[in-house]
Every structure is written in C-alpha cells, then in structure tokens.
C-alpha cells in the first residue's frame, strides 16, 4: 500500500489526507515512480479549493510535480527504464493523474530523466516553474538579448525562474514586488532592478530604467486593475503575457495605451506548451541545457515532509516564500 495525498471534498488544507491506496501496474505508455520529493504549486491549491480550470472527482488525487526512481514501466515505454532517476513535467490533467504520493503513476510523455547533478528536491522543483517561464518568455514573447522584461510577483518560483531565463538569453529582468522587504533577495537572485509597487511609481521607475522606452515584455501572473500600470510601462509594440489571476478582479486596460502603442495582451497557460509534443520537446531541451550549464538552478524556499502536506499547503497560501516549496519522502 502507498500513502498518497488525496481529498474527499474541496476546502482548506485540512481536507488533504494521506490515504493508503493500491497503485496498479503501469498501463500502456505509463510509468510508475517511487517518489522522493514533490513540488508544490498554486495550481494545486486552486484545485483543492475548487477554483481551478477543472473540478476534482472525489476521492481526488492531486499534484503535478514529483521526482523519484522508476519502479516499473508499461508497454510502449522506451525512453526510461526501471531504476532511472526521473522527474515529472506537468503535461496532464490532475483529474487523470496526481503525482503527490509515495508510489504514483504518470504518463510516459511527462517523465524526464533529469541531470544527475540535481538533488531530489531540486528535480521536483524544475518543470512547472521553468517551462512556465520558457513558454511565456521564449515560446510566445520571443524574449532576446537587449530586451527588458517586467516580472510581477517576482519572488514566486516562476518569478525567480523567469529572472534566470531572462539572464540566460541576455535580457534585463526587472522584478516587481509589493514591498521592498524582498529587494535584497531578488537582487541576489539575479534581478537587474527591483521595484516595490506599493512604495514606488512603477511607470516612472520603468521609464527611468529604460531611458524612456518602457519594457518590451511583461510577464504577469497577477492581472486585475494593476495591469493598467503595466500597460503604461510597456514599450511601443510590446507584449503583456498574462499567466495567472492572483488578483481575481477584472483587468483594467487603458484603450489609448493599447491603440497608441500597438500593444499585445496574450493569455497563456503552461499546458499549451506541455501538451504539444513539439513545443514540450523544445521546452525540455531548453531547460535541460540551462541546468547542465548552470544557468538555471532551482531556488527552494522550504521543505516539508510528507506527513506535513497540509502545513506545506498553508505555507504556500501565506505567500511569504521566496522560491519553491518542496515536500520530501524518506526512503
């Protein structure tokens, strides 16, 4: 029997339980993994509370990211073998697979052999953040050397990954954070500049930092009325890529900025990359290259053990982290 994270009703973190389940042998194009670490994401919180893009079916498994050892493979699986160290790319619906548990199934297309230099914790912290950043910045916005990119909520795992991805291609990342409390940490993480949005004039600071041009790319997980200031700080012919709704209110987008500067607003979600074989392959190649060259390195804020899964969710919801939250599973 395996202890896997499940919930039987939507609600706060207390609805999470470690249920004892029989995990079947992998079917065609499936891999069974003995997990060693689990990566947490805000998507799992939204799924647990019933606010995600799909509704859970109870009892519901949960979890997009895990690292561990291949326990067995199903028919048709050739790229990984029993005993391989692997991690899981979020390329599936949690209504089909949930990889937070001791022994889990995953579709073979989502399972990747990661660099041996990564710890289990680091490997569990790779794919959601880096492919989210790659998809928005590289695949869609075509970020390149010389560009300036604004990164709201920069202390999140995706925000920190975006700083590294921008640096990797020679762009200039400007981190946005509500207060100056995380300024030193964000600068140490590679941000060229940090703007405290509740303490400074975003538009004036961006113009100052870009010689009046504005930022060509904005990569925004917040949305809401604050998009108006982001649009004002965007350069002519710039693009705002929105990938979240931390502020659930409707966006306020000044029409004269959109028309006068010929701006593009693009909604984006990870799965348009990870569920497309060609785009997912390019993303994985980009990330593995960055990891192998030391240009990408997961930042882990805090680890919990599996028995503390509810505490880990509560910590994630508090929003004070700088980097990824990881849950470990002892051997």
């Amino acid at each position: 029997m395996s202890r896997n994270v499940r919930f039987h009703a939507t609600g706060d973190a207390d609805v999470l339980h470690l249920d004892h389940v029989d995990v079947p042998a992998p079917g065609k194009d499936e891999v069974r993994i003995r997990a060693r670490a689990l990566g947490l994401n805000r998507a799992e919180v939204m799924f647990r509370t019933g606010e995600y893009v799909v509704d859970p079916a109870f009892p519901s498994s949960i979890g997009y990211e895990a690292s561990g050892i291949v326990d067995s493979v199903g028919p048709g699986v050739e790229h990984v073998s029993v005993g391989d160290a692997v991690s899981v790319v979020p390329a599936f619906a949690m209504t089909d697979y949930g990889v937070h548990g001791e022994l889990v199934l995953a579709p073979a297309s989502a399972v990747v052999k990661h660099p041996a230099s990564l710890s289990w914790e680091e490997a569990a912290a790779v794919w959601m953040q880096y492919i989210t950043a790659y998809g928005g910045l590289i695949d869609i916005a075509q970020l390149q050397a010389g560009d300036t990119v604004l990164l709201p909520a920069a202390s999140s795992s995706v925000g920190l990954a975006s700083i590294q991805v921008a640096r990797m291609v020679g762009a200039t990342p400007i981190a946005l954070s509500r207060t100056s409390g995380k300024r030193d940490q964000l600068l140490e993480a590679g941000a060229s500049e940090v703007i405290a949005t509740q303490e400074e004039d975003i538009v004036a600071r961006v113009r100052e930092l870009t010689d009046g041009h504005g930022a060509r790319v904005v990569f925004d997980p917040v949305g809401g009325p604050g998009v108006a200031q982001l649009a004002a700080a965007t350069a002519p012919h710039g693009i705002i890529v929105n990938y979240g709704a931390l502020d659930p209110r409707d966006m306020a987008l000044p029409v004269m900025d959109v028309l006068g500067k010929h701006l593009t607003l693009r909604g984006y979600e990870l799965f348009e990359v990870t569920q497309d074989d060609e785009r997912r392959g390019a993303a994985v190649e980009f990330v593995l290259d960055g990891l192998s060259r030391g240009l990408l390195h997961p930042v882990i804020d805090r680890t919990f053990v599996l028995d503390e899964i509810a505490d880990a969710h509560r910590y994630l919801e508090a929003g004070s982290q700088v980097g990824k939250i990881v849950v470990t599973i002892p051997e």
Side-chain angles (χ1 to χ4, degrees):
M1 298 288 281
S2 171
R3 294 193 307 159
N4 288 9
V5 183
R6 299 203 301 181
F7 59 108
H8 298 251
T10 56
D12 62 22
D14 290 330
V15 302
L16 297 173
H17 299 281
L18 292 177
D19 288 349
H20 290 81
V21 298
D22 284 317
V23 180
K28 186 178 187 302
D29 296 325
E30 287 186 329
V31 177
R32 192 166 68 179
I33 300 166
R34 181 69 61 182
R36 291 288 177 261
L38 317 172
L40 263 60
N41 301 285
R42 191 159 292 277
E44 286 126 15
V45 170
M46 296 175 69
F47 186 57
R48 188 201 76 217
T49 58
E51 300 170 334
Y52 199 45
V53 290
V54 293
D55 295 324
F58 302 116
S60 178
S61 58
I62 192 171
Y64 276 129
E65 289 185 286
S67 64
I69 299 170
V70 174
D71 171 83
S72 55
V73 300
V77 179
E78 298 180 351
H79 70 293
V80 296
S81 302
V82 172
D84 283 345
V86 297
S87 46
V88 181
V89 175
F92 48 86
M94 280 189 284
T95 47
D96 296 326
Y97 297 91
V99 298
H100 284 181
E102 294 175 330
L103 186 66
V104 296
L105 288 174
S109 59
V111 179
V112 176
K113 286 193 283 188
H114 56 256
S117 58
L118 296 182
S119 67
W120 293 124
E121 292 83 1
E122 290 169 332
V126 166
W127 297 111
M128 177 70 84
Q129 60 177 325
Y130 285 120
I131 293 186
T132 298
Y134 166 89
L137 296 177
I138 308 301
D139 184 281
I140 292 173
Q142 299 291 301
L143 188 72
Q144 55 193 305
D147 284 339
T148 296
V149 55
L150 299 186
L151 300 170
S155 62
S156 69
S157 60
V158 174
L160 296 176
S162 299
I163 290 172
Q164 295 177 19
V165 167
R167 287 288 191 188
M168 184 172 167
V169 300
T172 300
I174 297 177
L176 306 187
S177 186
R178 285 175 297 176
T179 70
S180 56
K182 298 177 181 178
R183 183 184 301 274
D184 289 344
Q185 289 168 290
L186 289 168
L187 291 172
E188 290 173 6
S192 296
E193 299 286 346
V194 178
I195 299 175
T197 59
Q198 293 179 354
E199 302 168 14
E200 303 176 76
D201 184 323
I202 299 174
V203 179
R205 282 288 286 140
V206 172
R207 286 176 179 165
E208 176 188 345
L209 295 169
T210 60
D211 294 326
H213 298 297
R216 190 184 75 79
V217 179
V218 178
F219 192 43
D220 177 40
V222 181
V227 173
Q229 287 186 302
L230 298 178
T234 304
H237 305 284
I239 180 170
I240 301 170
V241 180
N242 175 264
Y243 67 99
L246 294 177
D247 186 337
R249 295 175 294 173
D250 288 341
M251 292 183 185
L253 199 61
V255 67
M256 296 313 295
D257 276 330
V258 176
L259 294 176
K261 293 196 288 186
H262 307 145
L263 301 183
T264 297
L265 173 65
R266 171 67 152 81
Y268 158 66
E269 62 172 0
L270 168 83
F271 300 103
E272 65 177 281
V273 172
T274 62
Q275 293 184 351
D276 179 292
D277 290 345
E278 184 175 347
R279 294 171 77 185
R280 183 182 65 251
V284 169
E285 183 178 353
F286 179 93
V287 174
L288 289 177
D289 176 61
L291 291 169
S292 66
R293 292 198 286 148
L295 300 175
L296 303 180
H297 41 88
V299 177
I300 297 174
D301 177 272
R302 183 174 171 184
T303 62
F304 294 79
V305 297
L306 184 60
D307 288 306
E308 300 171 323
I309 186 65
D311 291 334
H313 271 242
R314 280 189 280 267
Y315 183 72
L316 174 61
E317 289 177 276
S320 61
Q321 77 276 8
V322 178
K324 192 80 168 186
I325 299 164
V326 174
V327 174
T328 61
I329 301 175
E331 295 187 37

